[in-house]
Amino acid sequence: AVVALLVKLGTPSGTGGPFALFGVLRRDELVLEPAVAALVAVALGYGCAWLGARFGFGKRAWFTLAGLALSVAAGAAAAWGASSATAVRFERSPTTSGRLFVAAQGLTDRDRDGSPRAFGGGDCDDRNAEVRPGAWDRPGDGIDQDCSGADAVAKPATADTSPGTSGAAGSSPAAGSAAGSAAGSAAIGRAKLPEHPNVILLTVDTMRAELGYTRGGAAPRLSPNLDRLAAKSTIFDRAYSLASYTSKSLGPAMIGRYPSETDRNWDHFDRFAPSVPFVQERLQKAGVHTASVQGYWYFFLKGYGFERGWDTLDKSAAPRVISVDADGSSTGAAVGDRTVAALEALRDEPRSFLLWAHWVDPHAEYVKHAEFDFGSESRERYDGEIAFVDAQLGRVLTALESSPQAARTLVIVTSDHGEAFGEHGLIRHGFELWEELVRVPLLVYVPGAAPAKVTARRSAIDLVPTLLEIFGVSAPSGEDFVRGRSWLEDVGKSAGNAERPILVDMPQGPNNKERRAFLSGPYKLITSDERVLGLYDLEKDPAEKQDLSADAALLGRVQAERTAFLADLRPLPAKR
C-alpha cells in the first residue's frame, strides 16, 4: 500500500524529491509484465512449499516447481523451431514474450552476427559471422553466405547503373548539392535568393507530421502560427527524418551524412567526433555568423558535437539541474525568450547569419499548459505541448517580421522525429521506423518565393546541402563529403518535383537494434541487419498494416533498388 501511494504521488520523470522516483512506475512505456510474472512465480513456488510443509506433503512443492519448469521448457522448445516470419513478429512486439524471444536469440547466437541458428534466425553456419541470412553472397566462391541454399552466380557485366547516375546515395557524395553555387543567384519560384541571406533554423523535438495546415483546417488551435508560415512557404508534405530518435537523426542531419556514416561513439546520446564537422562549423569558417539557442543539455555540453562552431551559444534557457529525459520541466517559453533576444542582437549584423533554436517540450513526459489544455489523455497532452511550442515559434516569427533583417532571412522549420501513440502497438519513439515515427513537418520560407506544396518525398539528409547553397559555400568532396541535394530545387514549385529514393538509417545502439527503411515509388522496405521486417505499399496502405514481403517478385525488385542505393554508403562502426 505504501509503495502504491508513492507511485501515485511520484512524478513520471522521477524528479521533484527523493520519493518522486517511484513515479517512474507510472510511465506508459514501462512494461512491468516480467517483474509481475517473476513475483507470481516466486509466490506460487513459496506458497506450494508452505502448504506442502503445513499439511505434511513436502514433496508437493517440488512437483509444483517441476511442473513450472516443464511449462517453461515446452514454451522454449516451441520457440526454438519458430519460423523467420514468427521471429519477426516477436521481435517487433512490445510484449514480454517478444522481449524474451529476442533475448533467447541473443543468447543462442554463437557467432554474434545477429542471426542464430534457432529461434527463427535461420543461420546456416552459426560459427561464421560472414554467413547469415541477408549477407552478401560472393559469386563463385563455393560458399552460401546468405543461406539461400546455393552459392550466387556472377551476372554478366551491363551498362553502368550505379546510384551516382540516378540521384541515389551517389558515387560522388556531393553530387546534386551545393558545389560551386553562389548566394543570391539561384532561381526560387518567381523570385531569387536575397543578397547576403540569413537563415533561422527552428527545430522541434518529437513533432509529428500532422499539424493544422495538413488537416485542412480541422485543427485550428494546434499550430496557428506554423499554419500562417505554411501559407507563404514551400510545404514539403512527405518529409522524413534520418532515424526515430534525436541523436541518431538530428546530429547526422546537421553533419550531412547518414547516421551509420558518422564518426560516433557507442552511446544512447551519440558523441560525434571532431573529424567530421557540423554544418555550422563549415559556415563559421566561411565567414557566416553562427548563433545557437538551447534549453537542453545535449545541444550545448562539451564533447557531444552540437556545441561546436557557434559564435554565440546561449544555454541560459536550460534548467540548472540536468534531467536525462528533460521531461519534468518546461523550457519552451525561455527558449522563445532567448531566441527573440538573439534575433534582436542580430538586427545590425552586417554578415549573413545562421540562427538555430531547438524546442524539446513535446518530448514525453507531456507537461500540461493551462492555455493549451486539450485534455488529459497522452495524445491530448502531447497536442497541448505542440500548441504551446507553436506559440513560442509565433513569437520568434513576429519578431522577425519587425526586424530589418526580415527581407533577407529564410526560415526552415522541421523536427528530428515523430511520436507513436499505439498505432503499431508501440508508444514513444526510438525503436522502429513506422511512418508516425519518421514522417516530420518541413517548411522552407524564402522571402519573395511563391508558396508551394511538394508531394515528392524528401529527407533530412538534404539540410546541409541546402544551407551550403543558401550561403554560397561549396560542398566538400572526396573523403570530406556530404550527402543529399538542396531543397532549393523544389522551393516555389508545386509540380515537376522529381521523386527520389529515401533512406531512413538507424544504426544499432545500446537501447535499439539496427533498423533501416528504404522508400522508392510507393514502396517502403524495412530491414534489420539485412533481414526483411516488412514491405508496404504506402499509397494503398498508408497505415502500414499489410506486409507484402511474401511477394517474392516484388520484394526482389525493391531489394535490388535498395542494394544499388546502398552501394556507395560508407558505414563506420560506433566506437565502444
Side-chain angles (χ1 to χ4, degrees), residues 378-395:
S378 291
R379 182 61 191 269
E380 294 168 334
R381 286 186 286 120
Y382 168 83
D383 283 348
E385 289 273 49
I386 294 295
F388 168 70
V389 171
D390 176 79
Q392 312 313 315
L393 297 175
R395 295 172 55 209

Side-chain angles (χ1 to χ4, degrees), residues 517-539:
F518 175 72
L519 296 96
S520 179
Y523 299 111
K524 177 179 179 181
L525 175 62
I526 303 177
T527 60
S528 176
D529 292 319
E530 303 304 315
R531 293 176 300 115
V532 173
L533 298 186
L535 175 63
Y536 307 93
D537 184 336
L538 295 180
E539 288 186 2

